[in-house]
Amino acid sequence: MTRYDHKMQRLHLRHILAAGAVIEADRAQANYLINVLRLGEGDQLLVFNGSDGEWLARLNVTGRRACSIELVEQVREQTVSADIQYLFAPLKHARLDYMVQKAVEMGASALRPVMTQHTQASRVNLERMEANVIEAAEQCGIISVPGVLEPRSLKDLIGGWAKADPARRLLFCDEAEDSQNPLAELTRLAAQGPQPLAVLIGPEGGFSEEERALLRAQPFVTPIPLGPRILRADTAAVAALTMVQATLGDWGS
């Protein structure tokens, strides 16, 4: 991946990006660019939409809270991240925000809340999740923006897996796994070649015995441990995705 210019401001746009296009910023974006970032007429920034690569753009200021963004040239072609979905039991707001941001930074291709028996947060604000996804992508030079998928119960997700996504292997982070070293199993999977993956992290109270039995009975599930210590759910997200990216993902590409 070509390295981006980390000194320039980046902005996610929900528009098709093409040479010569002039895009009117919405009110919130214009206020952010002009009054928060203090950008002025002719200042440059980088823009992306998750599908058309990254573009150098020029700001045209038309009012105190109005501006347009003129695309100058493409500076990075669109890349495709490793196909690693991140599935997690929702947490309370502040820790959920952190976990979502870190999953984006670690290269997750999509994020899905999964409701388990011990999940403490019963509702998920998907708009807030998406805002955190975009913010993390803007700040970290990411141009493949992860999708935010609808919440599912663990039982329904597993029950429909074979029909909905039969080629995807589910890595079940099991705190009760006998082994303490995940690398042996991940290395074995890596030898089988690239494949779509999903990483599942449980709630703060862990998976119930019924849920563990359900997961372990599935042919598409591979249990992996996360070491000898019990990790907080948000810490487990970073630990699991680090190991998966290093052995099965795009870190070695």
Side-chain angles (χ1 to χ4, degrees):
M1 181 181 72
T2 303
R3 292 191 178 276
Y4 75 103
D5 184 347
H6 65 276
K7 297 179 181 179
M8 293 188 68
Q9 297 294 335
R10 301 181 76 242
L11 184 69
H12 176 265
L13 296 175
R14 301 181 187 275
H15 297 269
I16 295 174
L17 306 181
V22 178
I23 299 167
E24 291 294 326
D26 62 35
R27 186 176 181 86
Q29 288 175 330
N31 181 65
Y32 175 69
L33 293 170
I34 298 170
N35 300 313
V36 178
L37 297 181
R38 302 293 184 182
L39 298 183
E41 178 68 25
D43 282 347
Q44 294 183 331
L45 67 156
L46 298 171
V47 298
F48 65 103
N49 64 0
S51 58
D52 296 325
E54 184 171 63
W55 290 74
L56 179 68
R58 182 184 299 113
L59 194 67
N60 300 319
V61 179
T62 55
R64 291 183 60 189
R65 297 183 179 178
C67 65
S68 62
I69 299 167
E70 179 183 357
L71 301 191
V72 178
E73 63 175 337
Q74 188 183 61
V75 294
R76 280 198 291 168
E77 294 184 355
Q78 186 62 42
T79 57
V80 178
S81 299
D83 190 357
I84 303 174
Q85 295 184 1
Y86 179 60
L87 314 180
F88 60 94
L91 304 172
K92 295 181 180 178
H93 284 318
R95 291 178 60 197
L96 178 59
D97 292 347
Y98 172 88
M99 185 172 64
V100 167
Q101 292 163 5
K102 298 311 165 188
V104 174
E105 293 177 34
M106 297 302 299
S109 59
L111 293 84
R112 185 192 293 277
V114 177
M115 302 302 180
T116 69
Q117 291 184 23
H118 296 159
T119 298
Q120 295 185 2
S122 59
R123 299 180 63 184
V124 182
N125 186 333
L126 295 183
E127 290 185 1
R128 181 178 178 129
M129 274 187 60
E130 186 175 17
N132 276 292
V133 165
I134 291 172
E135 181 181 357
E138 288 176 337
Q139 292 178 352
C140 297
I142 294 168
I143 57 176
S144 296
V145 182
V148 175
L149 307 178
E150 290 289 332
R152 297 282 301 277
S153 73
L154 179 62
K155 184 177 180 180
D156 288 346
L157 182 71
I158 296 304
W161 194 277
K163 182 177 181 180
D165 206 351
R168 188 176 303 277
R169 175 147 296 274
L170 177 58
L171 303 178
F172 156 43
C173 297
D174 185 3
E175 72 278 4
E177 175 71 3
D178 291 337
S179 168
Q180 296 180 353
N181 180 9
L183 294 179
E185 191 61 40
L186 294 176
T187 301
R188 185 187 67 79
L189 289 175
Q192 300 175 11
Q195 60 182 307
L197 301 168
V199 177
L200 173 64
I201 298 288
E204 293 172 297
F207 292 102
S208 69
E209 287 304 313
E210 178 185 348
E211 290 168 337
R212 291 185 69 244
L214 173 66
L215 286 162
R216 285 178 166 274
Q218 309 307 316
F220 55 83
V221 170
T222 298
I224 60 171
L226 290 179
R229 287 165 290 278
I230 299 297
L231 304 178
R232 286 167 45 131
D234 42 356
T235 307
V238 177
L241 289 171
T242 297
M243 290 184 292
V244 171
Q245 283 287 31
T247 53
L248 299 167
D250 57 14
W251 284 17
S253 60

